[in-house]
Amino acid sequence: PIIFVMTSLQSILKEVRQHNAQRKHADSKSESQAVAAQAASSTAKPQDGGGDDGGGGAGDGDLKLMLFWSEIFYRFFVENADDARDDLLFFVRNQEHPDFVSGSGTDTDAYFVTRRHHANQPAADDGGINWMETFYLNLLVNQFEYRVTVAVCTKRTAVKKMDLVEKFSYQVYGSPSKTRMDKKASHVEHTYPFIYFTVDGFDELFKNVVVTPEECVCVELVASALGSGSGSGSGSGNDVLPPSSIFKGSVSYDALNGAYTAKRQKSPWESLWGRGDSQRVEQFLMLRGPRGKGEAQMAVSVHENFRDLPPGSGSSGGGGDVGYMADAMRRLGVRRMSDSPKLLKPCLTYVNLPWSSMVEDILEKPVTPVFDKLPSPNKKR
């Protein structure tokens, strides 16, 4: 079944690429003709009976475009049923449609969801649906798997030669919605055109991440075609759709500590609520992606002071918080927590990206992942 799905995906994407290339060529040609016509009209005498060419060309072109995307959507996501694929379908509303603009439609949310075999799915010629975005949204959410890596690296070397201290990788799932937890009762909020990759249980998953001075924390989100493996170079889809880094960013200890301290000073009373230990209060900091592509949110706190560690604590083969803190102290060259500077604990909570940048980085201009290629540290922390 996986080979069938990948072959079908390759076939569909080939059609999409051919279509987009033809559209780009046609748009370029139309623009040149418009410029030439404008230049000619500036010297020609006005003619009576001007206006429409009588063929409804623009309307016919819009209809053909809509039918192309709706047909390819239904062919791949409805008719080509596959048990491994989620049967939820996302339909993006056409925000230029009169019903949406006027608010006279049944709903003004950016999208709605149905089951694959729901009886009341929109017709292929339904102008209230943005069929191109509908196709791409379902493709991104249902046909790719995503893995996020949080890495601690030294910041003294160039990115391509960075010294990796440790990395933590987990699978995440894309969604055009997120759960708001800052209200009295949590509720789901639509985020489209942004796709959210939420890290569930982030506090536990990243509890052993320790960032010290002269280090930086890096975040990378990698997309791989469903069924193509983890991006190690094997799998039926890698030759056509290689794994691609769709979000990549880093922040130094100094910048992270500065932002954390500044935000703590703006809300000094937070330590009185909840955890009790003022050093363990989390501050949620936003990190913008390269070239303004998306954002990552980190919950940053200061590691609590452990007792003085006995010789050999956290040595190779050890584990737990004490082992990780001992390793951080060795990196700093100190033996007592009281002698060490502030140690930060950054926990990634989510990454968000606009769907358009994901399409570009996955389908049009794949970006080679960085941390998949970096060797693992010599010893496990």
Side-chain angles (χ1 to χ4, degrees), residues 198-351:
T198 302
V199 182
D200 295 324
F202 61 86
D203 197 45
E204 179 67 21
L205 291 178
F206 298 114
K207 67 178 181 180
N208 291 323
V209 180
V210 181
V211 183
T212 71
E214 302 302 325
E215 294 179 343
C216 63
V217 58
C218 308
V219 177
E220 183 176 45
L221 180 62
V222 175
S224 303
L226 193 64
S228 64
S230 61
S232 59
S234 61
S236 59
N238 275 352
D239 292 338
V240 175
L241 289 173
S244 180
S245 175
I246 60 177
F247 181 93
K248 187 163 47 189
S250 65
V251 59
S252 68
Y253 170 93
D254 291 339
L256 201 63
N257 184 39
Y260 172 83
T261 302
K263 197 163 186 180
R264 281 295 309 277
Q265 291 174 346
K266 290 182 179 180
S267 52
W269 298 104
E270 282 190 353
S271 61
L272 299 178
W273 306 94
R275 301 190 179 191
D277 184 353
S278 63
Q279 293 297 308
R280 297 301 301 277
V281 173
E282 293 173 333
Q283 296 295 338
F284 292 88
L285 307 178
M286 300 303 302
L287 309 177
R288 192 170 297 277
R291 301 182 303 280
K293 285 186 178 180
E295 296 175 323
Q297 184 190 70
M298 282 193 164
V300 182
S301 61
V302 177
H303 271 283
E304 64 182 356
N305 291 336
F306 283 90
R307 63 185 181 276
D308 291 345
L309 302 177
S313 295
S315 59
S316 180
D321 291 336
V322 173
Y324 277 77
M325 292 300 296
D327 183 72
M329 292 172 65
R330 278 193 295 273
R331 298 193 328 253
L332 288 166
V334 300
R335 292 187 58 81
R336 299 169 61 89
M337 284 297 301
S338 58
D339 299 329
S340 70
K342 189 189 303 179
L343 303 180
L344 297 180
K345 172 189 173 184
C347 298
L348 180 71
T349 63
Y350 67 75
V351 174

Side-chain angles (χ1 to χ4, degrees), residues 61-324:
D62 291 342
L63 179 60
K64 290 179 180 178
L65 184 63
M66 178 178 66
L67 292 177
F68 168 81
W69 288 110
S70 61
E71 186 273 336
I72 210 167
F73 165 78
Y74 274 111
R75 178 150 50 93
F76 184 65
F77 289 104
V78 179
E79 298 171 7
N80 183 24
D82 176 58
D83 292 338
R85 188 188 303 146
D86 197 323
D87 70 342
L88 289 180
L89 298 177
F90 298 87
F91 291 89
V92 179
R93 288 188 168 89
N94 179 7
Q95 297 190 22
E96 297 181 356
H97 192 270
D99 285 349
F100 189 93
V101 173
S102 66
S104 60
T106 57
D107 204 335
T108 55
D109 284 336
Y111 69 89
F112 62 93
V113 183
T114 71
R115 295 287 181 180
R116 180 183 294 130
H117 300 297
H118 193 275
N120 295 324
Q121 288 178 0
D125 60 352
D126 187 340
I129 304 298
N130 186 321
W131 289 103
M132 180 190 71
E133 294 188 21
T134 293
F135 170 79
Y136 279 126
L137 176 57
N138 285 274
L139 187 74
L140 295 172
V141 172
N142 293 327
Q143 205 58 42
F144 290 88
E145 54 190 8
Y146 302 90
R147 194 165 184 84
V148 68
T149 296
V150 173
V152 178
C153 307
T154 57
K155 67 175 184 178
R156 291 183 291 269
T157 54
V159 173
K160 293 184 179 179
K161 298 180 181 179
M162 67 169 55
D163 183 11
L164 177 65
V165 177
E166 187 58 281
K167 64 179 182 179
F168 304 81
S169 298
Y170 303 100
Q171 186 172 8
V172 290
Y173 301 89
S175 173
S177 64
K178 66 176 181 179
T179 301
R180 290 285 300 272
M181 303 300 294
D182 56 350
K183 304 290 184 180
K184 290 184 178 180
S186 63
H187 70 283
V188 176
E189 177 183 288
H190 286 189
T191 61
Y192 189 83
F194 287 89
I195 308 300
Y196 269 70
F197 299 87
T198 302
V199 182
D200 295 324
F202 61 86
D203 197 45
E204 179 67 21
L205 291 178
F206 298 114
K207 67 178 181 180
N208 291 323
V209 180
V210 181
V211 183
T212 71
E214 302 302 325
E215 294 179 343
C216 63
V217 58
C218 308
V219 177
E220 183 176 45
L221 180 62
V222 175
S224 303
L226 193 64
S228 64
S230 61
S232 59
S234 61
S236 59
N238 275 352
D239 292 338
V240 175
L241 289 173
S244 180
S245 175
I246 60 177
F247 181 93
K248 187 163 47 189
S250 65
V251 59
S252 68
Y253 170 93
D254 291 339
L256 201 63
N257 184 39
Y260 172 83
T261 302
K263 197 163 186 180
R264 281 295 309 277
Q265 291 174 346
K266 290 182 179 180
S267 52
W269 298 104
E270 282 190 353
S271 61
L272 299 178
W273 306 94
R275 301 190 179 191
D277 184 353
S278 63
Q279 293 297 308
R280 297 301 301 277
V281 173
E282 293 173 333
Q283 296 295 338
F284 292 88
L285 307 178
M286 300 303 302
L287 309 177
R288 192 170 297 277
R291 301 182 303 280
K293 285 186 178 180
E295 296 175 323
Q297 184 190 70
M298 282 193 164
V300 182
S301 61
V302 177
H303 271 283
E304 64 182 356
N305 291 336
F306 283 90
R307 63 185 181 276
D308 291 345
L309 302 177
S313 295
S315 59
S316 180
D321 291 336
V322 173
Y324 277 77

